[in-house]
């Protein structure tokens, strides 16, 4: 039996994690959650999720090397990375994969499903 | 850190940090330092970081780059250098300037006994020193008397310009001083408007008792001469002075004598001071009166003009700095508040989305989850607004005799459900021997709620997490202490002083950084304060100090 695609949500707001988890689980996706980037990176390396949703605010220390590691990990593992909020100018992500805040959940969830479906 | 601060020009008040390498200065948006100045080239100059220090280089600009009034191709900048690019004047400062040496190695303060033969011969107080400038003695030689009188004027000018940071007040004082010392009928100070580069009247006055018809008209001929030649002028009698055309504006305006001096500052002329004696135009050709203005007056007016100009420059530099700081603080406040509001809005959108999904799929559990999120964020925005209002306004707490146990028990009861959810043991050690104290129960409730919420957040997810609320009180003491203790993560020593600063939060998206500043403000409005003791990884104790003094007159009956 094939496993359903998984999504890692790295998001400091418990409310937003809950919204994404509730909806995405109901759409058949497996969810991993982290409130901070350090824990998020651990989960990304362990579970190789198909999609990583990273809120820029999750990097509270502003440590740019962690963000770079995130980029590298998602590339190595062929995970699609969606960044919520602002990112530093020197980071390059494919167009449409940075979503400015405040965002609407409908299009975000649609995007996650699309990327997870493509990977699966 | 090195900075360029704009002292003059349309960007006045802006400060540019010279971080990073090779910063270009110019008119178009590709420059890190973009200037709103039509006399600046598109790419005008470049600031380069070299091993020797910070170097400014001109990039073949049309109007050139100047450092301390000297045109440069390339120049190593030193602290305090003035950089002119187009009409924009910068002050360069570098906190790490290598030219600043530590004089502590060269200068020692030693006991008097250590220096052979040093003894105090005479001491002079400030008052005795000022006697040097006392009005001259009639018995003195006229030369000495005049010199002393001039010195006194300059001394008083120096005092007048050193006492204010308000330009209008400063100029008015200068005019008062001039009128005390010379018999002028009318006087005016005009400052150069940096936008138009035209002189604009800023202060004026007439001698008391002198009737001057209409408004003060100042001769363009005199102003142009002073500004162009950068010299002060004295017209002993306008009709006889060869410099002025008899048909010119001086004669026509009824001016008999006038002194006009430039206000020459460090960076250029900031304005002019003008005084004259006035005779109505119809009488000017008939009247002959002794001259009131002399060359001595002119020289002293030039010196006063220079002093006043330095003060105007300092004041305007200071005002620009204050304005820049204010704008920066306001920008920071708006950015922080926008961030919090954005997070709350995001929460409301998330909750609404869940409600919508739940309704679509007729799943009440999802609707309930969504509503809980909406409700929580509604509460967050309400708290944020109330905290902002409390922080922005000074207000007197409504002090009433009240029961401290009741207020504390209310908070603990309110937080108990959250404590269970967060697996934190929340305990209130009630003291039954407390008298009533004078405080505002609603405001104190808010403070204790803030501090208890923080304490619970600090120890959430820790083993045997515990928050204890207790009261320390001894009859006769000036303060009663409400103690909120937790065994949470604690606060690092370097953060202890910052936690009461507005918008400093260690709770990420959950905190607004207003809770503790607002709580401290409320306690201070009560005449008390908040203190904190903390050990990282062990826990924190917050002491809310409430004065007991006012309670002496009220009911001291022990509560049941």
């Amino acid at each position: 039996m094939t496993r359903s695609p998984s999504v890692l949500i790295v998001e400091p707001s418990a409310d937003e994690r809950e919204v994404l988890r509730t909806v995405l689980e109901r759409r058949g996706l497996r969810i991993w959650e982290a409130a901070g980037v350090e824990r998020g990176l651990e989960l990304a390396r362990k579970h190789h999720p198909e999609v990583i949703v990273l809120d820029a605010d999750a990097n509270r220390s502003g440590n740019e090397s962690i963000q770079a590691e995130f980029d590298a990990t998602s590339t190595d593992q062929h995970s699609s990375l969606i960044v919520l909020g602002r990112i530093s100018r020197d980071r390059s992500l494919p167009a449409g994969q940075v979503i400015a805040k405040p965002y609407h959940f409908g299009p975000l969830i649609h995007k996650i499903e699309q990327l997870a479906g493509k990977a699966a | 850190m090195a900075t360029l601060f704009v002292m003059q020009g349309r960007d006045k008040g802006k400060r540019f940090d010279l971080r990073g390498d090779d910063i270009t200065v110019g008119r178009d948006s590709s420059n890190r330092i973009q200037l709103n100045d039509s006399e600046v080239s598109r790419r005008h100059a470049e600031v380069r970081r070299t091993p020797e220090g910070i170097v400014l280089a001109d990039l073949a600009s049309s109007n050139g780059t100047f450092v301390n009034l000297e045109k440069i191709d390339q120049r190593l900048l030193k602290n305090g250098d003035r950089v002119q690019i187009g009409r924009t004047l910068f002050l360069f400062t570098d906190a790490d300037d290598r030219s600043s040496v530590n004089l502590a190695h060269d200068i020692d303060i030693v006991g008097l006994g250590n220096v052979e033969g040093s003894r105090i011969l005479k001491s002079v107080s400030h008052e005795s020193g000022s006697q040097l400038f006392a009005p001259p003695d009639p018995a003195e030689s006229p030369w000495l008397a005049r010199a002393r009188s001039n010195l006194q004027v300059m001394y008083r000018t120096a005092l007048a310009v050193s006492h204010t940071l308000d330009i209008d007040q400063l100029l008015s004082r200068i005019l008062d001083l001039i009128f005390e010392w010379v018999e002028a009928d009318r006087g005016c100070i005009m400052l150069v408007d940096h936008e138009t580069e035209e002189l604009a009247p800023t202060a004026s006055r007439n001698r008391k008792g002198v009737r001057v018809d209409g408004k003060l008209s100042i001769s363009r001929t005199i102003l142009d001469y002073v500004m162009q030649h950068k010299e002060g002028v004295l017209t002993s009698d306008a009709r006889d002075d060869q410099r002025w055309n008899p048909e010119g504006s001086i004669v026509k305006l009824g001016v008999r004598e006038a002194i006009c001096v430039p206000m020459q500052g460090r960076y250029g002329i900031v304005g002019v001071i003008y005084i004259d004696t006035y005779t109505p135009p119809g009488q000017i050709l008939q009247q002959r009166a002794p001259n009131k203005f002399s060359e001595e007056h002119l020289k002293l007016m030039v010196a006063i003009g220079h002093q006043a100009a330095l003060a105007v420059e300092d004041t305007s530099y200071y005002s620009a700095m204050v304005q820049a700081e204010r704008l920066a603080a306001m920008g920071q406040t708006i950015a922080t508040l926008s961030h919090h509001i954005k997070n709350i809005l995001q929460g409301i959108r998330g909750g609404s989305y869940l409600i919508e999904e739940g309704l679509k799929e007729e799943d009440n559990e999802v609707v309930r989850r969504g509503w809980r999120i909406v409700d929580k964020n509604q509460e967050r925005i309400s708290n944020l607004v109330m905290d902002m209002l409390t922080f922005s306004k000074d207000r007197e707490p409504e002090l009433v005799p009240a029961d401290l146990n009741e207020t504390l028990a209310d908070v603990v009861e309110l937080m108990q459900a959250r404590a269970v959810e967060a697996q934190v043991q929340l305990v209130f050690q009630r003291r039954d021997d407390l008298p009533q104290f004078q405080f505002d129960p609603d405001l104190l409730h808010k403070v204790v709620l803030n501090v208890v919420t923080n304490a619970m957040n600090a120890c959430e997810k820790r083993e045997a997490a515990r928050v204890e609320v207790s009261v320390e009180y001894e009859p006769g003491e000036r303060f009663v202490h409400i103690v909120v203790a937790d065994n949470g993560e604690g606060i690092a020593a370097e953060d202890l002083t910052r936690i009461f600063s507005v918008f400093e939060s260690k709770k990420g998206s959950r905190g607004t950084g207003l809770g503790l500043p607002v709580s401290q403000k409320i306690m201070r409005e009560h005449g008390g304060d908040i203190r904190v003791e903390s050990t990282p990884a062990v826990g924190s104790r917050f002491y809310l100090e409430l004065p007991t003094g006012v309670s002496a007159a009220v009911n001291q009956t022990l509560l049941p």
Side-chain angles (χ1 to χ4, degrees), chain B residues 153-436:
Chain B
V153 171
M154 287 315 297
Y155 178 68
R156 292 185 55 199
T157 307
L159 281 183
V161 300
S162 65
H163 281 179
T164 182
L165 289 170
D166 175 335
I167 290 187
D168 292 338
Q169 199 180 34
L170 167 82
L171 300 181
S172 166
R173 278 189 194 168
I174 297 280
L175 280 177
D176 287 347
L177 196 76
I178 291 170
F179 273 71
E180 271 180 41
W181 156 74
V182 63
E183 275 186 75
D185 291 329
R186 312 181 300 185
C188 168
I189 297 182
M190 304 176 88
L191 295 185
V192 176
D193 181 322
H194 292 299
E195 289 286 317
T196 60
E197 298 208 337
E198 289 285 321
L199 284 167
T202 314
S204 75
R205 70 164 281 183
N206 296 328
R207 176 165 297 283
K208 271 187 196 149
V210 171
R211 192 169 156 269
V212 176
D213 300 325
K215 62 180 187 180
L216 169 61
S217 303
I218 298 178
S219 158
R220 163 79 50 197
T221 322
I222 293 184
L223 293 179
D224 287 348
Y225 186 92
V226 169
M227 293 297 285
Q228 278 162 21
H229 294 79
K230 297 182 180 167
E231 286 174 357
V233 295
L234 159 69
T235 66
S236 54
D237 191 325
R239 293 164 307 175
D240 302 335
D241 196 317
Q242 296 306 306
R243 284 171 300 181
W244 321 121
N245 179 344
E247 297 303 312
S249 57
I250 304 179
V251 178
K252 283 183 183 167
L253 295 173
V255 175
R256 210 174 59 76
E257 288 176 277
I259 287 180
C260 186
V261 294
M263 292 171 71
Q264 177 70 53
R266 298 173 193 88
Y267 316 118
I269 294 184
V270 302
V272 296
I273 305 179
Y274 172 92
I275 54 173
D276 68 19
T277 57
Y278 174 79
T279 306
Q283 298 163 30
I284 194 164
L285 291 170
Q286 291 84 45
Q287 282 195 2
R288 289 267 173 200
N291 289 340
K292 291 178 181 172
F293 298 167
S294 67
E295 209 178 314
E296 192 84 10
H297 287 124
L298 175 63
K299 284 181 185 163
L300 213 50
M301 281 281 289
V302 169
I304 291 174
H306 182 50
Q307 281 284 316
L310 297 179
V312 167
E313 279 179 345
D314 288 346
T315 306
S316 102
Y317 175 56
Y318 178 80
S319 309
M321 292 255 281
V322 169
Q323 180 72 355
E325 299 289 330
R326 268 193 202 142
L327 285 175
M330 200 190 292
Q332 180 66 37
T333 306
I334 291 171
T336 312
L337 286 176
S338 307
H339 184 73
H340 292 314
I341 293 169
K342 204 165 62 181
N343 282 336
I344 294 171
L345 183 60
Q346 197 63 63
I348 292 173
R349 278 189 182 170
S352 309
Y353 183 74
L354 274 192
I355 294 173
E356 206 179 298
E357 286 284 298
L359 290 173
K360 231 188 304 181
E361 296 175 19
E362 295 182 357
D363 185 334
N364 277 344
E365 174 50 28
V366 174
V367 173
R368 234 191 321 272
R369 280 190 199 186
W371 174 246
R372 198 178 46 76
I373 293 174
V374 170
D375 198 35
K376 192 162 73 175
N377 282 285
Q378 207 167 266
E379 190 63 26
R380 281 175 71 194
I381 196 127
S382 160
N383 288 338
L384 176 65
V385 171
M386 293 314 288
D387 280 350
M388 276 157 51
L389 282 175
T390 310
F391 192 78
S392 63
K393 278 198 298 200
D394 280 331
R395 61 173 183 174
E396 287 285 314
E398 286 177 25
L399 301 179
V400 292
D403 179 353
L404 193 54
N405 277 321
E406 197 179 298
T407 302
L408 300 182
D410 275 355
V411 173
V412 171
E413 193 188 327
L414 184 71
M415 295 301 288
Q416 209 52 264
R418 239 213 79 194
V420 171
E421 194 184 319
Q423 296 180 317
V424 176
Q425 187 189 5
L426 177 59
V427 182
F428 171 40
Q429 303 288 1
R430 188 185 179 92
R431 283 269 303 253
D432 289 331
D433 58 341
L434 295 181
Q436 284 196 318

Side-chain angles (χ1 to χ4, degrees), chain A residues 73-84:
Chain A
T73 305
S74 63
T75 311
D76 293 349
Q77 296 175 181
H78 306 288
S79 305
S80 299
L81 180 63
I82 299 177
V83 176
L84 307 177

